[in-house]
Amino acid sequence: MKDSIYVEPPSIAAIELVPKKAPRPMTPYQVLQSLPKDATPAQQDSAIQAWFAPDEIHYSDRPDTLHLPGEGKPRDLRDVELPMYYKENFFSNDSLYHPELSGGRYGVAGDPVPETLSNDSLITGLLILCFLVMTVAFSRISGFIIRQAKDFFYVQKGEHSVAETGDEIKIQLLFTVITCLTCSLLYYLYVMAKVDNTFVFSTEHTLLGVIFLVMVGYFLLKILLYTIVNNIMFDSVRNKKFLTSLVFLTTMEGVMLFPVLLLRTYFRFPIQDAVIYTLVVVFIVKILVFYKTYVIFFAQKGLYMQIFLYFCALEMVPLFSLWSGLAVIVNQLRVIF
């Protein structure tokens, strides 16, 4: 059996086929071209071995000059104590030089999905939470709401009023917060559709939070004004009846506005129709507030001029102030190019 490193000596036929050595050295291509066209691969290999004698490889012992200036002897890159500047080169940050790094995206990037309330997880969570809270609340205080609705249009005599438990008061306050959130989302949708969608905040949720705080401040300020004025002008019994009716109307306002919010968010309900629906609901609520104000405070006194002054000062002025204030805030926070 022959050794694996055994090299068969060139055959005599292959040597005879190779011409005599020329005065100038020949290249392997020239040697192969000098052979007949029908030369076998074995004969070609023998001719190459006959012409070119294998020599011993001598590696250069000269110092490597392809290193940083001032460095005498090249250092091993696997040395853990090697300075970082010694390892860095022109391709250090190239992804092809570092297969562990991401090389970027292949192909053409598509158009980004526009930011809307329908694909916003936070807004969707808030709407689902509001829906669940409203459903559970209606199931617990449905009897109280029916009694309150019947009592609303009944002209009461004496000190009779609908009794409220602690849970019913808490649920009505929770409904008031939901009304503030619903109004904030509706105004936010109006701003996104009619004004602009570029603001100084990094996220659009910040603008929604600012609008929500303004809405909460509006309802708190209105209740505070009613409490101060009514305590000066009227007795505590009628004040309690009016505040109960006012909270009930605020609760029902949020319930009536919630469907149009869902339609606009998930079914692309036209913004013009949403604005008209909202204005109709607000107008109906204001008419009911005016009616309840007349029945509780001014029906027995016959003061017709005073009720208009009372209603405009405590109901209409805060409403127009809210609209103007939100317009100013949005204009200040908008990025103008």
Side-chain angles (χ1 to χ4, degrees):
M1 183 176 181
K2 297 181 180 180
D3 194 356
S4 59
I5 62 174
Y6 172 76
V7 178
E8 184 177 358
S11 61
I12 303 300
I15 296 175
E16 293 177 352
L17 292 175
V18 179
K20 300 298 181 180
K21 289 188 178 181
R24 297 180 60 183
M26 298 178 63
T27 62
Y29 175 76
Q30 294 174 342
V31 173
L32 295 178
Q33 287 295 110
S34 63
L35 296 176
K37 294 184 179 180
D38 57 350
T40 62
Q43 292 175 342
Q44 295 176 359
D45 182 67
S46 299
I48 293 296
Q49 294 184 30
W51 185 266
F52 299 100
D55 296 330
E56 183 180 357
I57 299 176
H58 298 281
Y59 293 98
S60 175
D61 55 356
R62 297 178 63 84
D64 184 12
T65 58
L66 299 177
H67 56 78
L68 295 177
E71 296 287 341
K73 183 180 180 181
R75 303 174 63 179
D76 189 2
L77 295 179
R78 294 172 295 181
D79 187 3
V80 295
E81 298 181 356
L82 192 65
M84 183 60 66
Y85 68 84
Y86 195 89
K87 299 180 181 179
E88 292 180 349
N89 53 58
F90 181 79
F91 302 99
S92 295
N93 297 326
D94 194 344
S95 60
L96 299 177
Y97 191 75
H98 296 277
E100 70 276 5
L101 299 179
S102 176
R105 180 185 300 168
Y106 294 99
V108 179
D111 296 333
V113 179
E115 183 69 22
T116 59
L117 290 180
S118 59
N119 57 23
D120 194 316
S121 57
L122 177 62
I123 303 302
T124 302
L126 289 176
L127 293 177
I128 294 176
L129 179 63
C130 291
F131 179 77
L132 294 177
V133 169
M134 293 171 63
T135 304
V136 174
F138 271 117
S139 65
R140 295 187 59 180
I141 63 171
S142 57
F144 169 78
I145 293 176
I146 295 174
R147 294 195 309 270
Q148 187 75 18
K150 291 180 179 179
D151 186 72
F152 188 85
F153 296 99
Y154 174 73
V155 180
Q156 303 176 7
K157 296 181 181 180
E159 299 183 359
H160 173 73
S161 61
V162 180
E164 295 178 298
T165 62
D167 291 339
E168 292 171 347
I169 295 175
K170 293 178 181 178
I171 291 176
Q172 287 189 88
L173 294 177
L174 184 59
F175 264 109
T176 304
V177 176
I178 293 177
T179 302
C180 296
L181 181 59
T182 303
C183 295
S184 303
L185 289 171
L186 285 174
Y187 188 79
Y188 175 77
L189 288 173
Y190 174 80
V191 170
M192 292 293 104
K194 293 295 185 179
V195 181
D196 203 347
N197 57 358
T198 305
F199 295 90
V200 296
F201 303 114
S202 58
T203 61
E204 297 178 350
H205 298 155
T206 308
L207 176 64
L208 180 59
V210 171
I211 298 175
F212 175 72
L213 292 178
V214 173
M215 287 291 179
V216 172
Y218 162 74
F219 283 101
L220 291 178
L221 179 62
K222 189 171 71 170
I223 293 177
L224 179 62
L225 291 176
Y226 270 118
T227 303
I228 295 175
V229 174
N230 291 344
N231 286 333
I232 295 175
M233 300 178 58
F234 310 105
D235 57 86
S236 59
V237 176
R238 286 185 289 181
N239 291 341
K240 182 179 179 181
K241 292 180 182 180
F242 179 76
L243 286 178
T244 302
S245 301
L246 184 63
V247 173
F248 174 73
L249 287 175
T250 303
T251 299
M252 293 299 102
E253 184 180 9
V255 173
M256 289 186 291
L257 291 177
F258 192 74
V260 72
L261 175 61
L262 295 179
L263 290 175
R264 175 59 188 170
T265 303
Y266 297 105
F267 299 98
R268 299 187 179 276
F269 192 68
I271 188 65
Q272 295 82 0
D273 298 340
V275 171
I276 294 174
Y277 178 87
T278 304
L279 293 178
V280 170
V281 171
V282 172
F283 178 76
I284 294 174
V285 171
K286 299 308 177 186
I287 292 297
L288 293 177
V289 172
F290 182 83
Y291 164 76
K292 205 63 180 178
T293 302
Y294 173 76
V295 169
I296 295 177
F297 296 128
F298 298 96
Q300 300 176 358
K301 297 182 180 181
L303 302 175
Y304 300 104
M305 181 60 67
Q306 287 80 351
I307 185 174
F308 285 101
L309 296 176
Y310 174 87
F311 180 77
C312 291
L314 298 181
E315 193 67 31
M316 301 308 298
V317 171
L319 180 62
F320 288 115
S321 300
L322 172 66
W323 183 264
S324 303
L326 286 175
V328 172
I329 291 175
V330 170
N331 187 57
Q332 293 294 326
L333 298 179
R334 186 165 58 94
V335 176
I336 302 176
F337 296 96

